[in-house]
Amino acid sequence: MQEMGARALRLGIPLGVQLDLTYRCNERCIHCYLDHDDHGEMTLAEIEGLLDQLAEAGVFFLTISGGEIFLRRDLFDILEHARRLMFSVKIKTNAILIRSEQAARLADLAVEGVQISIYSHRAEVHDAITLVPGSLDRSLAAARLLHSAGVKVTFANVVMRQNADDYLAVKALAEEIGAVFRVDPTITPMMDGNRSILSLNIEQARLRHVFRDTNIVADVDDFCTAPEGPYGEPDAFDRIPCSAGHSSCYVSPYGDVYPCVQFPLPSGNVRQAKFVDIWRNSPQLAEVRSISLGDIQGCSQCSNQPGCTRCPGLAYLEGNMRGPSTQDCEKSYARFGVMSENLRRKKRDGIIPLTPVHAERCSL
């Protein structure tokens, strides 16, 4: 996989694309970053034409997401067309509309996997996050049907203040059903730039606890050992921050192309130009590709650099895609116990109150 990714990067091939079919949803998750109104989704013909273009451009990994994709009555027409083109297809869904028939069809299509968001093992917590009574029971019932049909299921557990103590029970639930478990302590700002939902993020002490939990981190000492950074200058200037805009991108239900779903920098629209022309010639994507670790303001000399998960999209939503992402600085601080210069500056300015980790770092 690393070899394939590196080759795609060298050749300028968009190896992976996430395509959202709709922003409409039958849940109203309190942390969702989307506007759920329909402002003119692409038609089936437009989507099939786009899939043809993606295949021609060299895309192999295709993630179909939303909104809730099962609200599109033509979903299986889209999936069948994608599989005829030999994409490796994964889908993201809340699964509450999946019954035996849908599970069997997904198995017949040999989709690579189905990701379902499970926020808690307790219905009162999960349903309070989705704002749909009975949603946990319906999602779990669908997960069992999918697993029985031979479809790989992944539970995505977004940790926030409401469910911060439940991730291990969700992991146990995944193991009981036969699903893969993934935990994510990041709440994403809304695509329109609204940052109010970031108040749902767990506090620093709980974040440290998650990163030090041996139940989900195989080798805590190795994972949390502070990196000896930054990279040397030549190395840093050769390193890209992430694959967004380099070997992957995102397409919205309205045909808008962005570097990533977490990086809503408008870079073209497939209703107005061919996908491959946008990929190759977009000035916005060219700017994204011009950024290396060596010239990121506030990050180029940070000692956490080699182990940081800095997201350029989160930095963009914070106001500067060439600057640091405070959310990732906070995660690095929780993981390594070393405060970045960005956090030190914000603490000095009184922007964020942070408690020093001191020698605690990651030693258990």
Side-chain angles (χ1 to χ4, degrees), residues 143-164:
R144 291 186 173 96
L145 287 172
L146 289 164
H147 180 70
S148 296
V151 179
K152 180 181 176 181
V153 177
T154 297
F155 282 2
N157 180 232
V158 178
V159 179
M160 62 193 91
R161 292 178 184 271
Q162 284 77 356
N163 66 345

Side-chain angles (χ1 to χ4, degrees), residues 40-356:
E41 297 168 3
M42 286 187 287
T43 65
L44 174 61
E46 286 178 309
I47 291 173
E48 289 182 339
L50 172 60
L51 293 177
D52 292 341
Q53 292 181 43
L54 295 181
E56 200 174 319
V59 174
F60 179 64
F61 299 105
L62 180 67
T63 300
I64 300 289
S65 185
E68 176 44 55
I69 59 176
F70 280 87
L71 291 179
R72 287 210 48 147
R73 299 190 179 194
D74 54 7
L75 172 62
F76 280 102
D77 294 320
I78 293 167
L79 292 176
E80 287 168 3
H81 192 77
R83 290 297 293 128
R84 279 195 295 272
L85 292 169
M86 299 302 291
F87 289 114
S88 172
V89 177
K90 292 182 180 179
I91 68 172
K92 295 181 180 181
T93 171
N94 59 40
I96 65 177
L97 294 177
I98 293 179
R99 303 290 185 269
S100 297
E101 179 189 351
Q102 289 81 13
R105 291 187 72 181
L106 291 172
D108 288 343
L109 286 169
V111 298
E112 181 65 22
V114 176
Q115 178 177 300
I116 304 171
S117 293
I118 301 293
Y119 302 109
S120 174
H121 62 300
R122 297 178 289 162
E124 66 271 20
V125 175
H126 177 95
D127 295 358
I129 291 173
T130 66
L131 301 183
V132 176
S135 57
L136 176 62
D137 290 342
R138 294 169 70 181
S139 292
L140 292 179
R144 291 186 173 96
L145 287 172
L146 289 164
H147 180 70
S148 296
V151 179
K152 180 181 176 181
V153 177
T154 297
F155 282 2
N157 180 232
V158 178
V159 179
M160 62 193 91
R161 292 178 184 271
Q162 284 77 356
N163 66 345
D165 297 323
D166 293 355
Y167 64 91
L168 289 183
V170 174
K171 180 175 183 286
L173 196 55
E175 290 169 350
E176 174 200 324
I177 290 174
V180 177
F181 173 76
R182 297 279 184 268
V183 63
D184 182 7
T186 304
I187 303 296
T188 303
M190 295 188 72
M191 290 189 75
D192 63 5
N194 186 325
R195 302 179 65 79
S196 61
I197 58 175
L198 298 187
S199 63
L200 299 173
N201 272 311
I202 58 176
E203 63 272 19
Q204 183 71 200
R206 283 190 170 185
L207 190 57
R208 289 202 303 272
H209 177 75
V210 171
F211 282 141
R212 290 164 172 72
D213 194 334
T214 54
N215 292 291
I216 59 172
V217 179
D219 189 340
V220 173
D221 287 334
D222 181 58
F223 179 74
C224 290
T225 298
E228 297 178 0
Y231 290 114
E233 188 172 301
D235 197 10
F237 277 99
D238 283 341
R239 291 178 181 267
I240 63 171
C242 81
S243 64
H246 291 268
S247 58
S248 64
C249 69
Y250 164 70
V251 184
S252 83
Y254 315 122
D256 297 308
V257 177
Y258 301 103
C260 171
V261 68
Q262 284 194 168
F263 196 164
L265 173 69
S267 304
N269 187 288
V270 296
R271 283 171 159 167
Q272 300 166 2
K274 287 188 176 180
F275 172 81
V276 72
D277 291 335
I278 296 171
W279 178 257
R280 291 174 180 168
N281 304 319
S282 164
Q284 293 83 6
L285 292 180
E287 183 180 2
V288 170
R289 291 167 188 150
S290 73
I291 303 172
S292 72
L293 283 176
D295 60 10
I296 295 174
Q297 301 158 18
C299 298
S300 59
Q301 297 303 313
C302 181
S303 64
N304 287 341
Q305 191 186 86
C308 181
T309 57
R310 176 192 175 275
C311 170
L314 291 177
Y316 170 76
L317 285 167
E318 201 170 312
N320 181 10
M321 67 179 173
R322 293 182 176 272
S325 156
T326 298
Q327 282 184 269
D328 288 304
C329 289
E330 289 171 344
K331 284 192 285 186
S332 291
Y333 179 45
R335 180 176 166 187
F336 304 126
V338 177
M339 192 179 290
S340 68
E341 180 54 37
N342 178 46
L343 286 191
R344 291 181 191 279
R345 177 178 56 79
K346 288 180 178 289
K347 188 168 187 283
R348 282 195 305 267
D349 295 344
I351 298 174
I352 50 174
L354 285 175
T355 303

